[in-house]
Amino acid sequence: MEVTGTREAFAQMLSERGVYKKLGVDRSTVAGWKRRLAEGHSISLDKMEEMLTKYGATVAQEKIWKVP
């Protein structure tokens, strides 16, 4: 499944039951991330990308920057 945006991909990953086992973290850690997302708080981009990589997700298209 393709998801647009790191935050959206992270939320999709967290919706999987038992994902904490794949990520090698405590259930309470995943619960905390879910709570932070639901409340609109931020989670570092580096942490989201690290966990998505552990999960087995891959980047479909790299960010493209156009600098003047």
Side-chain angles (χ1 to χ4, degrees), residues 6 9-34 37 43 46-58:
T6 303
F10 189 72
Q12 179 69 36
M13 175 190 71
L14 293 181
S15 71
E16 180 182 314
R17 186 179 179 123
V19 71
Y20 70 96
K21 295 175 190 172
K22 286 184 179 180
L23 300 177
V25 298
D26 292 335
R27 285 170 56 173
S28 61
T29 301
V30 172
W33 289 335
K34 286 180 181 179
L37 288 177
I43 299 170
D46 289 340
K47 179 55 73 176
M48 288 190 284
E49 289 179 352
E50 176 189 349
M51 293 297 111
L52 284 164
T53 301
K54 275 187 170 184
Y55 182 68
T58 57

